[in-house]
Amino acid sequence: MNIILLGAPGAGKGTQATKIADKYALPHISTGDIFRENIKNQTEIGLLAKSFIDKGQLVPDEVTCKIVEERISRADCKDGYMLDGFPRTIAQAEALEKITKIDLVINIDVDFSLLMERLCGRRVCKDCGESYHVSRLNGTTTCARCGGELYQRKDDNPETVQSRLDVYNAQTAPLIAYYTEKGNIFNVISDTRPPEAVFEKIVEKLDTLRK
Ligand code: AMP
């Protein structure tokens, strides 16, 4: 099954994506993670991506689409995959449509007023990518899942988060209507529910589709 996870920054896409990928043995493709890996390795793509990511802007469609096209053409994606953070523009969705068929778009809906606080307090594991909120860490600096070191993403600061939210509203939110029209979107609300309850809803939907 080919799945897209949509949602504003901080909606919990990464957390759900990891759980879905584990349960259904799907490759988890996060364009944000691919860019961060390229930045770490100081590749040409990394250098280019950094200049946009640091400002809270989107990396140009052309570059992003090429990366995704190459990634989903690999053998491990032949029985399905899960895209986390792609597409983020209508142009990306149209490019994707030309190369593959999408079975389900999961949209994680969240109250916007929660996101600034969530993102600025987010700490992420360097090794497995698990996210935490600083208010619940009680000073712990290591990951409860794998023991890796926790860090704060450079783009999780108030100024950059504001531009990421503005970019989401202007360029990514229109995808909800785009996929609603196509009839394969599943909306799930994450506001007050714990991630486990959101995951349960997603599993219910995926299990029905797989039957
Ligand atoms: P994320 O880890 O999904 O929050 O992504 C971090 C940053 O990477 C975003 O703020 C963008 O600058 C960039 N990025 C990730 N995915 C995309 C995409 N599909 N299109 C353009 N830029 C992206």
Side-chain angles (χ1 to χ4, degrees), residues 30-33 35-36 52-53 57-59 64 85-88 92 153 155 164:
S30 153
T31 38
D33 284 350
F35 288 135
R36 280 184 288 278
F52 293 94
I53 293 175
Q57 294 170 0
L58 295 183
V59 179
T64 312
F86 183 94
R88 264 176 152 104
Q92 290 179 8
R153 269 171 51 171
D155 56 349
R164 287 161 66 201

Side-chain angles (χ1 to χ4, degrees), residues 1-3 5 16-28 76-82 104 106 186 198-211:
M1 196 154 23
N2 300 338
I3 304 171
L5 259 180
Q16 297 301 330
T18 308
K19 285 170 170 288
I20 298 167
D22 282 356
K23 183 168 170 75
Y24 296 97
L26 291 171
H28 170 190
D76 64 336
C77 291
K78 81 173 179 2
D79 294 327
Y81 52 79
M82 197 188 38
L104 182 68
I106 300 167
F186 172 64
V198 175
F199 183 56
E200 245 174 64
K201 288 271 158 219
I202 295 174
V203 167
E204 266 172 38
K205 179 72 183 174
L206 286 175
D207 285 350
T208 329
L209 282 182
R210 275 155 40 106
K211 269 180 199 154

